[in-house]
Amino acid sequence: SLLQLKLWNKYRVSNIPSLIFIDASTGKVVCRNGLLVIRDDPEGLEFPWGPKPFSEVVAGPLLRNNGQTLDSSALEGSHVGVYFSAHWCPPCRSLTRVLVESYRKIKEAGQKFEILFVSADRSEDSFKQYFSEMPWVAVPYADEARRSRLNRLYGIQGIPTLIVLDPKGDVITRQGRVEVLNDVECREFPWHPKPVLELTDSNAVQLNEGPCLVLFVDSEDDGESEAAKQLIQPIAEKIIAKYKAKEEEA
């Protein structure tokens, strides 16, 4: 029915089963990954399963690939890329190669940036092998509970996913993968979302994320696409500002 379709669209359900918890008084989503919640917390001890701050969910020791450990508090004051990935997944491996270069460029430019690898590998050995290619930090593979809590916090539905956080731990973009692939020189870091994008293969994934307006222009004439952009830019900015004020995703 139409109502069912509206609910699927409203909560961006792309696969089933999906279990989403909502605060009845405000209608806001409390948790997207309800299935992980009931697997991890069958007794309901953490009820009502609302989002916790990143610093609280990530708290504990982190690893470097040389075996050194450091405390998660070392991430404070930096932009952080939370990288959900696994060696068995080919798109993950190709993104990792690009990301290693991006990480180096951003650090060399003097920016405070750290990447946190949250593994979805199927064994400790494959985690170690994959992590040996990475110059950043990781949640220990054995700490399955913390890896799962991070998956829950961001409602991860597929890998690779790169979520970019500001130094306060708030999400700048969930589309880090698209941003890194579109901006190899990292000129746009930390990749605040743009109100208007040019549609490309890599960012077409956002068509599945929510309502989109697609404007077709005659690409032969460069002036036309610039004029079209100027036409819809203020409208897009207004819509984004409206949703931001309501603390909802646009």
Side-chain angles (χ1 to χ4, degrees):
S1 74
L2 190 61
L3 177 62
Q4 284 171 315
L5 193 61
K6 275 184 174 168
L7 286 168
W8 277 68
N9 288 337
K10 181 175 173 60
Y11 298 114
R12 303 204 309 270
V13 175
S14 57
N15 49 11
I16 54 170
S18 248
L19 177 59
I20 296 169
F21 294 114
I22 293 156
D23 179 334
S25 57
T26 63
K28 286 194 174 157
V29 172
V30 174
C31 172
R32 289 196 170 280
N33 269 16
L35 295 171
L36 275 183
V37 168
I38 54 177
R39 191 196 73 188
D40 290 353
D41 183 24
E43 306 286 309
L45 301 177
E46 292 177 36
F47 183 82
W49 304 304
K52 294 185 170 73
F54 169 70
S55 57
E56 190 181 317
V57 176
V58 79
L62 302 176
L63 292 178
R64 291 208 174 274
N65 64 14
N66 60 5
Q68 271 184 323
T69 63
L70 66 160
D71 189 73
S72 57
S73 59
L75 300 174
E76 284 167 21
S78 295
H79 284 86
V80 177
V82 189
Y83 184 36
F84 297 86
S85 187
H87 190 260
W88 53 261
C89 146
C92 292
R93 292 200 300 276
S94 54
L95 179 61
T96 297
R97 286 194 288 276
V98 179
L99 200 50
V100 167
E101 289 307 306
S102 302
Y103 178 74
R104 196 167 291 137
K105 282 175 189 156
I106 293 164
K107 301 280 268 194
E108 280 170 6
Q111 301 263 19
K112 294 189 81 176
F113 180 51
E114 196 47 73
I115 292 177
L116 174 67
F117 171 42
V118 183
S119 167
D121 287 292
R122 291 175 177 149
S123 72
E124 174 103 37
D125 283 346
S126 67
F127 160 74
K128 279 183 178 152
Q129 183 197 340
Y130 193 29
F131 187 40
S132 70
E133 304 164 18
M134 301 179 184
W136 44 75
V137 297
V139 176
Y141 185 79
D143 195 343
E144 199 174 330
R146 195 161 27 138
R147 289 191 290 124
S148 187
R149 281 199 299 273
L150 284 159
N151 272 279
R152 263 164 48 195
L153 179 61
Y154 298 115
I156 301 303
Q157 300 207 340
I159 56 171
T161 294
L162 177 67
I163 295 189
V164 183
L165 309 178
D166 69 15
K168 296 202 301 272
D170 295 329
V171 173
I172 293 176
T173 178
R174 299 177 59 88
Q175 301 291 343
R177 176 193 185 182
V178 171
E179 298 293 354
V180 163
L181 296 175
N182 278 351
D183 179 25
V184 178
E185 292 304 315
C186 306
R187 290 198 181 99
E188 308 277 332
F189 177 83
W191 303 301
H192 287 279
K194 294 189 188 71
V196 179
L197 291 173
E198 192 163 325
L199 189 59
T200 63
D201 280 358
S202 55
N203 66 29
V205 61
Q206 295 184 57
L207 297 173
N208 299 324
E209 296 274 306
C212 292
L213 171 72
V214 183
L215 179 61
F216 293 87
V217 295
D218 185 355
S219 61
E220 299 300 306
D221 173 13
D222 267 351
E224 190 175 330
S225 65
E226 198 42 52
K229 199 172 179 181
Q230 284 171 7
L231 175 72
I232 57 177
Q233 182 88 12
I235 301 169
E237 283 170 2
K238 207 148 91 186
I239 292 169
I240 286 170
K242 184 181 109 180
Y243 279 91
K244 208 169 190 164
K246 290 200 281 187
E247 292 183 7
E248 287 178 17
E249 288 187 49

